[in-house]
Amino acid sequence: MVVNVFDNVAFDGHELLSYGHDERTGLRAIIAVHNTFRGPGLGGLRMWPYGSWGEAVTDALRLSRGMTYKNAMADLPLGGGKAVIIGDPARQRSPALMHAMGRFIDRLNGVYITAEDSGVSVEDLRHLAECTAYVTGVKGGLDADGRERSGDPSPATALGVFAGIRACLLEERGSDLLNGITVSIQGVGSVGFRLAEHLHAAGAALVVADVDRARAERAASAFGARMVAPGRIHAVPADVFAPCAMGAAINDSTLRELNAPIVAGAANNQLARPEHGVMLQERGIRYAPDYVINAGGVIDVSAQRDPHYDADAVRSRVLGIADTLRDIFRRARASGQPPEEVADRMAEERFGRR
Ligand code: NAD
């Protein structure tokens, strides 16, 4: 079957779509660049056993578009791109495959810059970096304590979400103090656990859930958090619900049961459908647009391209997510639009669509 990319539901004026194949390693990959108005398209490399080329193309188109919006709202001099490798990361990942992927990226001469995403580790990126310079998040400079950084974006993501939660509280209650505040966290993995650390240190009470029980128990014992079943975390009475697991945390059934006036977390694609944002607004629930609040990781990763990585400057840019959110909320109040629609329009202005 011939797949016409221009008719794909996820096609949105993308600038480039490139297919890569390497006979020796069996690499089958796609690079999508959505928009380069602000700079080269930066976005992670995902490896996933897609059922078909069409599915992989749709994912690459959708994810690269998301990166244009995210990078624009993080005010980075970058456009949006994404790469996907079709394959099972548990069985098919190898240094040779990553070398082939590196050569594929290199051929595009820097219009696309890659980084880590699901199914790909920092170790894989190191192999990839042997064949191209257009990769980041492999290894940063030295952090403030003089320790070598790993390239892992989750600490910066968690810090940005923490700052974003405080911005929401300030808007909602006139104070961003965490004492006496309860935050429910769905998913205490790389980002969720670090977010819990910040919130606990600032005095918040925590409720956690994770499908991996050991992870939930670890958070419960580290922070005195209450543990609930994964299927009920959205319904727990709390001041903030922080989705930090997979997408679509806000859907037809969870929305009805939400019991928190603020939804602010790290997960990508938190709204199952765009109309769920409108429904949140109708219920008087403040939503921090996901790609704005979770941009700490990309801010950090993009800074790692600079040989003179400045940890303090990165930290202050990540904390600036709070200001961006407050600006979005101000505009939302003035226009009556939901915050995620306001964010989209702001991003589009920034990447030259308006
Ligand atoms: P992770 O895999 O380390 O953690 C996710 C956790 O959620 C895991 O512990 C998993 O067991 C748990 N989980 C999965 N389904 C669940 C469910 N239904 N209910 C409760 N728990 C569930 O991933 P991460 O790196 O912490 O990322 C979390 C989310 O944030 C993802 O959506 C990711 O795309 C997004 N994000 C991450 C970063 C980053 O820097 N890592 C940056 C931007 C966005």
Side-chain angles (χ1 to χ4, degrees), residues 94-109:
S94 70
L97 188 83
M98 291 298 151
H99 287 154
M101 187 67 205
R103 289 192 296 273
F104 176 29
I105 291 168
D106 206 56
R107 277 194 204 116
L108 296 183
N109 277 320

Side-chain angles (χ1 to χ4, degrees), residues 70 153-154 157 187 189-191 209-212 215 230 244-245 266-268 294:
K70 181 184 286 205
S154 356
T157 304
S190 305
V191 179
D210 198 299
V211 288
D212 181 336
R215 289 189 176 183
C244 296
N268 280 313
N294 74 14

Side-chain angles (χ1 to χ4, degrees), residues 261-329:
I262 294 170
V263 174
N268 280 313
N269 306 314
Q270 288 172 33
L271 305 177
R273 294 195 311 277
E275 53 270 34
H276 290 124
V278 178
M279 289 153 85
L280 281 176
Q281 190 187 35
E282 284 166 0
R283 280 203 50 196
I285 296 172
R286 184 180 298 279
Y287 171 61
D290 47 15
Y291 68 83
V292 178
I293 194 172
N294 74 14
V298 79
I299 292 172
D300 186 25
V301 155
S302 69
Q304 291 179 33
R305 297 197 71 220
D306 185 341
H308 308 292
Y309 178 90
D310 178 347
D312 289 337
V314 171
R315 195 180 152 79
S316 98
R317 289 201 75 153
V318 171
L319 294 176
I321 287 174
D323 300 326
T324 309
L325 280 173
R326 296 197 65 207
D327 188 14
I328 291 169
F329 293 142

